[in-house]
Amino acid sequence: MLGKLFKYEIKDTSRLIPFFYLITAVMAGLSLLSGKLELGWFKATSSVLLLLVGISVFVVTLVVICMRFYKNLYSNEGYLSFTLPLKPHLHLVSKAIVSFGWMLLSVIISMGAIFVALYGLGVDGKMWASALDEIERYGMGKYMYAFIPMICLAILYLMSQIYFSITLANSPKFHNIGAAGASILLFFVTNIVLRIVETILTIIIPFSLFVNISGSVDISLTAHNMVGYLIDNFNNTNPSNMVIGLGGYTFDVIMIFVLFYITGRIMNKKVSLR
């Protein structure tokens, strides 16, 4: 049954998202072609449009997965979805996995579109190569791979908050507020509270990265927190090292599991369709 959920989820979400991928590919092709043909005005115009389309791909994907989650579970379709012979939280599992795949793919396509657009606007390969050479010169090349898990973490963190907010908004205590309004309000409250806690933990928890930026960049783990570093370097405009707290990232990882778990519990026991 879970396999069928994956199949239906992919089928329903693929009705619109790939269409924007196609538009992005066409715009990227026009931008590159106009550059080859040296059509200056058309190259600039197509590159700006490609930049906007690249950003839109991520936004559209996010809207689609939010609307799909709500409509399939908490609108009239929910009466059918929740009568299927499986645990309600399995809907969350299938939607989370499929949505994560779409979000990650959309981020990759958006980044590719932005790079092509910047190329069309005059940021050529030599400038990118020069920037990469500078990164390598400071010994930062191997740390660039950290962006991949950071992007995945950010996507999961955002999805966990969205699904939690939509699900909580459809519990009986929020029936007096519109579903859309309650979901948006709960998302912003949840996000703000989590950001505040994350910032505090980033500063005070003694688990950090020590970054030596004198000469080549050297990064190592340390059991110090950021409080001492901030005090010592309050008036230092050119520090030779810095401390980046990891307590907030640890909190984010924990909260992803917590929010998905709570969302699943609410779906199993406390959801009341309007």
Side-chain angles (χ1 to χ4, degrees), residues 14-248:
S14 63
R15 292 176 180 174
L16 181 61
I17 297 175
F19 176 69
F20 275 80
Y21 294 167
L22 179 61
I23 294 176
T24 305
V26 171
M27 292 304 303
L30 289 175
S31 178
L32 293 172
L33 180 62
S34 61
K36 291 290 185 181
L37 298 177
E38 298 183 355
L39 302 175
W41 65 272
F42 188 73
K43 178 182 178 182
T45 302
S46 60
S47 297
V48 171
L49 291 175
L50 175 60
L51 188 63
L52 296 175
V53 169
I55 297 172
S56 299
V57 166
F58 177 80
V59 175
V60 168
T61 302
L62 184 62
V63 171
V64 167
I65 66 173
C66 291
M67 293 301 298
R68 169 65 184 165
F69 185 77
Y70 170 74
K71 291 182 65 177
N72 185 240
L73 295 179
Y74 304 120
S75 67
N76 291 335
E77 292 182 28
Y79 290 100
L80 174 62
S81 298
F82 281 105
T83 57
L84 295 176
L86 48 81
K87 291 288 186 180
H89 70 267
L90 292 179
H91 289 288
L92 176 63
V93 173
S94 64
K95 292 181 185 302
I97 294 174
V98 173
S99 297
F100 174 78
W102 283 121
M103 290 287 287
L104 184 60
L105 183 58
S106 293
V107 168
I108 294 171
I109 290 176
S110 295
M111 292 177 64
I114 291 172
F115 286 142
V116 174
L118 291 177
Y119 175 78
L121 294 172
V123 183
D124 58 18
K126 292 182 179 179
M127 296 180 68
W128 289 116
S130 178
L132 291 175
D133 288 341
E134 285 296 309
I135 292 173
E136 289 291 345
R137 187 166 71 86
Y138 284 100
M140 291 290 292
K142 60 184 178 181
Y143 301 113
M144 292 181 62
Y145 296 104
F147 284 107
I148 298 174
M150 288 177 65
I151 290 173
C152 293
L153 175 65
I155 292 173
L156 288 172
Y157 199 31
L158 178 62
M159 288 172 51
S160 66
Q161 294 176 54
I162 291 173
Y163 287 170
F164 169 76
S165 301
I166 294 175
T167 301
L168 185 59
N170 285 276
S171 59
K173 64 180 69 176
F174 291 100
H175 273 195
N176 292 330
I177 308 175
S183 299
I184 294 172
L185 177 62
L186 286 169
F187 173 77
F188 279 111
V189 171
T190 302
N191 185 266
I192 291 171
V193 171
L194 292 178
R195 292 301 177 189
I196 293 173
V197 176
E198 175 189 334
T199 302
I200 295 172
L201 294 179
T202 298
I203 295 173
I204 66 173
I205 288 183
F207 177 46
S208 308
L209 288 177
F210 179 82
V211 184
N212 186 340
I213 53 178
S214 58
S216 63
V217 177
D218 182 38
I219 301 177
S220 59
L221 289 173
T222 177
H224 296 88
N225 59 28
M226 293 185 65
V227 176
Y229 166 77
L230 294 173
I231 294 174
D232 293 341
N233 291 275
F234 184 75
N235 294 318
N236 190 355
T237 58
N238 189 27
S240 61
N241 57 68
M242 61 188 301
V243 174
I244 302 174
L246 296 178

